Amino acid sequence: QISVFFQQMITVYILERCLVAGVRREVEVSSERNQRSALTSLLGMMCDATVELDSKHCIVSHVPALAHMLLHGHGKSLQGLQMISFVPDAEDQQVFLKSVLEPEEGALSTAATFHGSVRDALGNKIKAQFFHVPFTAVGGRMHHLIGLREHSDFDRGCVDTFADIIPHPKRSKG
């Protein structure tokens, strides 16, 4: 009877450890999803398109905003394509790869920004600002959130400040 009791205790202990490990995994997955959702939401407010790249720098899922930005239309999925294939110039490709592959020392999950360009389906070069946040996905693989914002006239220096286009009430002419 003592050996049966010890076997039951060992079985209960093993089941408890398995349940605890399973719950811990679920909490980690939920936390990772919440963090990724918050980052995606924030980038979505600032950028024209937000893309998740896997460890091989391939687009994880269809992003209609990116397809639209690159004039591929909403019907064509860019899922599975390498993001670098839309970066036309060798110099911009080097900047992209350096920024994504070699983040600054200790910069895991630290946001960074860099400038470059992408090419649309018609061959037009679009100057853009890239926002990059690396993160560890479920399974421990490195993924990347990339936000793209097309440069506007404000970015090209046509307007120095908002004060140039919005008159200050105390600076009224007259």
Side-chain angles (χ1 to χ4, degrees):
Q1 287 183 347
I2 294 176
S3 70
V4 171
F5 174 74
F6 281 119
Q7 287 176 348
Q8 289 175 342
M9 291 302 291
I10 291 171
T11 302
V12 168
Y13 176 77
I14 291 171
L15 287 174
E16 179 185 18
R17 299 317 268 151
C18 289
L19 287 172
V20 167
V23 169
R24 185 174 287 130
R25 258 192 313 275
E26 286 183 37
V27 168
E28 288 172 357
V29 167
S30 177
S31 175
E32 184 271 326
R33 283 185 188 142
N34 287 339
Q35 288 175 358
R36 184 176 48 189
S37 176
L39 288 170
T40 301
S41 176
L42 184 60
L43 285 173
M45 291 181 350
M46 299 176 4
C47 300
D48 298 313
T50 303
V51 182
E52 181 179 344
L53 305 181
D54 64 16
S55 59
K56 296 179 181 177
H57 306 107
C58 294
I59 298 170
V60 171
S61 60
H62 176 56
V63 179
L66 179 64
H68 179 72
M69 181 180 183
L70 299 178
L71 302 177
H72 286 274
H74 288 288
K76 182 175 180 189
S77 175
L78 304 177
Q79 181 178 353
L81 299 176
Q82 284 196 321
M83 187 67 195
I84 195 77
S85 67
F86 299 106
V87 179
D89 299 334
E91 182 179 328
D92 286 342
Q93 288 178 355
Q94 288 177 345
V95 169
F96 179 86
L97 291 173
K98 183 174 182 352
S99 299
V100 173
L101 291 176
E102 303 169 12
E104 292 181 26
E105 188 69 31
L108 181 62
S109 297
T110 300
T113 184
F114 57 95
H115 297 270
S117 61
V118 290
R119 188 162 314 278
D120 68 17
L122 300 176
N124 300 311
K125 185 176 176 181
I126 302 168
K127 291 186 177 197
Q129 184 172 12
F130 293 78
F131 297 85
H132 172 237
V133 181
F135 68 96
T136 304
V138 176
R141 293 187 178 243
M142 181 61 67
H143 277 217
H144 308 270
L145 282 177
I146 304 287
L148 289 101
R149 182 173 66 187
E150 185 175 354
H151 282 293
S152 66
D153 289 342
F154 291 109
D155 296 324
R156 289 190 203 108
C158 294
V159 178
D160 291 332
T161 66
F162 284 110
D164 292 340
I165 57 172
I166 302 172
H168 192 278
K170 292 182 181 179
R171 291 189 213 153
S172 60
K173 294 180 182 178

